[in-house]
Amino acid sequence: MIHEQLKIISKQLIAKDTVEMTFRGRMAQEKILPGQFLHLLVGEGTNHMLRRPISIAGVDRQASTITIIFKLLGEGTNTLAKAAPGDQLDALGPCGQGYPVDDLQLEKALLVGGGIGVPPLYYLAQCLKRKGVHVTMVAGFQNKAQVFYENQFRLLGNYYLATDDGSAGEKGFVTDIINAEKLDFDQYFTCGPTGMLKAVSTQLSNQEGFISIEQRMGCGIGACFACVVPAPDSANGYKKICKDGPVFRAKEVVLT
Amino acid sequence: MNLAVQLPGLTMKNPILPASGCFGFGKEYAELYDLNLLGAITIKAATGTARYGNATPRVAETDAGMLNAIGLQNPGVNQIMEQELPFLANYDTPIMANVAGSTIEEYVEVAQKISRHPVIKAIELNISCPNVKEGGVQFGTDPALAQTVTAAVKEVSTVPVYVKLSPNVTDITAIASAAEAGGADGLSLINTLTGMQINLANRRPLLANKIGGLSGPAVKPVAIRMVYQVRQVTDLPIIGMGGVRTAEDVLEFLLAGASAVAVGTANFQHPFVCPEIIQQLPAVLEKYGFANAVEAIGKGHEHANTHLSRT
């Protein structure tokens, strides 16, 4: 992890309230695994005392760029979104532990993402494809206006889309698609809201898989114990989401 | 410029120390900068046995601050002594152990054990954690209990004892005086102010614990006022804290009567804030007419009587 002022080189709205932002910086030369995040300082002065953890959606080492995607959910993300190309954002990163792409032995991967949990899976899909793994992506969004990266995912493998209201793709949840399509895979990788993570990991409890947990964070480096998750089989009974995660083996932690 | 300050048990190169709970046991920040730069370090609270703490979410941002309800998560005093303290022996920065408990017996047990570890130079007696159901803050809001627990811990501790005061009281000076009567070697203040934030969309408190402790720049005026008031009733050395994020803030606490100043929430916003403050402090002290750090301590009281008579 390093501390760097990352220069914004592009920013665009890619879906309703959803911003894609790309930075240039030497951080892109660090070893970055999908699932790792940037811990971004928001604004100036005392307005925002907590940084915002935002997962990395793409890395281009040659261009030395890192891309993130975040949703406008409140004052903090609204302020982040006001920064313009040319501005710099104070970033810690890459933070946490990502999906262990290099160590994985598999031929077919199932990726399941919900809403703002989709971005890290895009970077994961790229890394897996590069490794020769066949990727199937199941993405869930609230409605058509929220959908992003459909075409990008389709270039990397199979793609299924579900929306809560049926305005795009199938009407229903990602778990409905997994049920209906009888998808064939060796391991699964999921990221999204806790309810979805629970549903997916329960549905796929006979399979090996990884989950990435969202949680409000304090320091983002493992010092403050704000973001923990029970891990009954570990030495001390818990894991720190920001430092030991946000990616965990599905059976390693108990979602609460 | 000489920034050194001397407090009971704590020989500090400068008056800056990270506050308990914001710095873990030092390892994470040691990856970012040299802990020898710090005046001292307050480590995360230790209890008699391991505590998991509260459910998540445990933190929420507020205007110029944050709420937390961690709930004293820690691996227990024995584990801390075995697993965490040896690493801190690599530094010549004095370590203060924050001691918490639910009963007087637990405070005594933890203090007795941890004060005997060679890296521990002082104890910060945490009678002010607002985030646990039993113990903690009741000792910090009742002067008689505060005096009793302080005396009990003083009896067993081999290092000086600083009593950490809760701001959630009507009269902070009553608790300060009680701690002094119990034999405290120093005071540290303030802990967090209790607060709550409600999510408009689901109409629920944002923290799983509902109530949390407010910290950050929003509480600094409260902290300055309390340090100032406590300074007027006791000569015990004070470690001041509450919303510190700049060298100017540090000077303000020194003027109010603190001999050392702890930095908490600001570490989350700027992980390098402590060394940055230390670097900037000489220029700030000089700008306001001080030749060293010690000279500034308590200098905000020179016109104390006139100011007080006007309010």
Side-chain angles (χ1 to χ4, degrees), chain A residues 102-181:
Chain A
D102 299 344
D103 308 330
L104 292 172
Q105 303 288 329
L106 77 168
E107 289 173 5
K108 287 168 284 191
L110 173 65
L111 278 53
V112 185
I116 208 60
V118 168
L121 299 181
Y122 180 64
Y123 180 36
L124 175 65
Q126 290 179 311
C127 293
L128 289 173
K129 178 140 201 257
R130 218 171 289 144
K131 211 175 136 85
V133 177
H134 181 266
V135 173
T136 299
M137 173 73 187
V138 180
F141 295 94
Q142 284 173 344
N143 54 51
K144 188 177 182 183
Q146 313 276 351
V147 177
F148 59 88
Y149 272 28
E150 178 176 353
N151 293 332
Q152 285 90 329
F153 273 107
R154 287 190 188 281
L155 293 173
L156 298 171
N158 295 340
Y159 179 84
Y160 298 89
L161 174 64
T163 53
D164 298 358
D165 64 357
S167 54
E170 298 295 317
K171 181 177 188 328
F173 300 119
V174 290
T175 43
D176 299 329
I177 290 190
I178 298 170
N179 264 338
E181 299 293 334

Side-chain angles (χ1 to χ4, degrees), chain A residues 5 40-52 75-83 88-90, chain B residues 61 245 269-270:
Chain A
Q5 308 299 318
L40 293 171
L41 178 67
V42 182
E44 290 177 345
T46 61
N47 280 351
H48 296 284
M49 294 304 293
L50 295 181
R51 289 173 176 252
R52 296 298 188 275
E75 262 185 61
T77 40
N78 283 335
T79 303
L80 274 182
K82 283 192 187 114
Q88 292 190 329
L89 286 186
D90 182 306
Chain B
E61 192 177 70
R245 54 183 282 280
Q269 191 192 37
H270 285 291

Side-chain angles (χ1 to χ4, degrees), chain B:
Chain B
M1 180 183 285
N2 183 7
L3 294 180
V5 293
Q6 178 69 49
L7 286 81
L10 303 172
T11 301
M12 298 172 62
K13 290 170 276 230
N14 59 66
I16 307 305
L17 68 166
S20 180
C22 299
F23 211 72
F25 299 96
K27 272 181 196 155
E28 293 80 16
Y29 285 91
E31 288 176 25
L32 300 179
Y33 61 84
D34 181 1
L35 301 185
N36 281 325
L37 293 169
L38 298 167
I41 295 170
T42 326
I43 54 175
K44 188 164 172 50
T47 51
T49 52
R51 288 183 60 108
Y52 178 75
N54 295 321
T56 53
R58 293 175 168 185
V59 291
E61 192 177 70
T62 61
D63 286 347
M66 64 178 283
L67 290 166
N68 90 80
I70 308 295
L72 294 181
Q73 179 163 19
N74 79 98
V77 62
N78 294 337
Q79 187 85 345
I80 290 172
M81 290 172 68
E82 284 164 29
Q83 305 288 328
E84 305 290 350
L85 297 187
F87 169 75
L88 292 166
N90 299 322
Y91 300 93
D92 69 356
T93 301
I95 308 298
M96 178 156 69
N98 185 288
V99 169
S102 304
T103 60
I104 291 185
E105 291 72 28
E106 187 178 5
Y107 280 109
V108 166
E109 179 203 343
V110 176
Q112 187 160 26
K113 284 180 179 170
I114 209 163
S115 69
R116 282 165 175 77
H117 194 285
V119 312
I120 299 301
K121 305 296 185 227
I123 277 176
E124 183 179 57
L125 187 61
N126 186 353
I127 58 168
S128 45
C129 177
N131 296 326
V132 290
K133 288 197 172 61
E134 289 180 346
V137 77
Q138 83 203 37
F139 293 98
T141 52
D142 177 334
L145 270 179
Q147 181 173 344
T148 305
V149 70
T150 304
V153 165
K154 265 301 286 179
E155 200 160 301
V156 298
S157 175
T158 57
V159 296
V161 175
Y162 292 76
V163 178
K164 186 163 185 180
L165 303 183
S166 170
N168 302 304
V169 295
T170 311
D171 181 5
I172 188 89
T173 63
I175 310 284
S177 299
E180 183 169 30
D185 299 286
L187 301 169
S188 76
L189 61 151
I190 58 175
N191 207 317
T192 55
L193 288 143
T194 52
M196 183 188 279
Q197 190 171 33
I198 297 175
N199 182 319
L200 302 186
N202 65 18
R203 306 175 186 180
R204 290 183 194 165
L206 216 146
L207 297 180
N209 192 54
K210 299 189 177 79
I211 294 173
L214 179 66
S215 63
V219 311
K220 197 188 77 176
V222 178
I224 293 286
R225 182 265 289 180
M226 289 187 161
V227 169
Y228 188 97
Q229 286 181 317
V230 168
R231 174 78 298 146
Q232 295 197 318
V233 299
T234 171
D235 291 327
L236 289 180
I238 295 170
I239 299 173
M241 69 197 79
V244 174
R245 54 183 282 280
T246 66
E248 283 82 359
D249 295 337
V250 171
L251 175 57
E252 194 175 349
F253 272 92
L254 295 177
L255 294 175
S259 298
V261 180
V263 182
T265 304
N267 287 293
F268 303 159
Q269 191 192 37
H270 285 291
F272 298 89
V273 69
C274 287
E276 283 172 16
I277 288 176
I278 291 162
Q279 195 188 4
Q280 288 155 9
L281 191 55
V284 170
L285 287 169
E286 192 181 336
K287 176 179 175 185
Y288 292 98
F290 299 102
N292 56 56
V294 170
E295 232 178 65
I297 298 170
K299 284 298 188 297
H301 290 261
E302 284 178 345
H303 306 288
N305 294 332
T306 44
H307 282 190
L308 283 180
S309 67
R310 281 179 198 163
T311 56

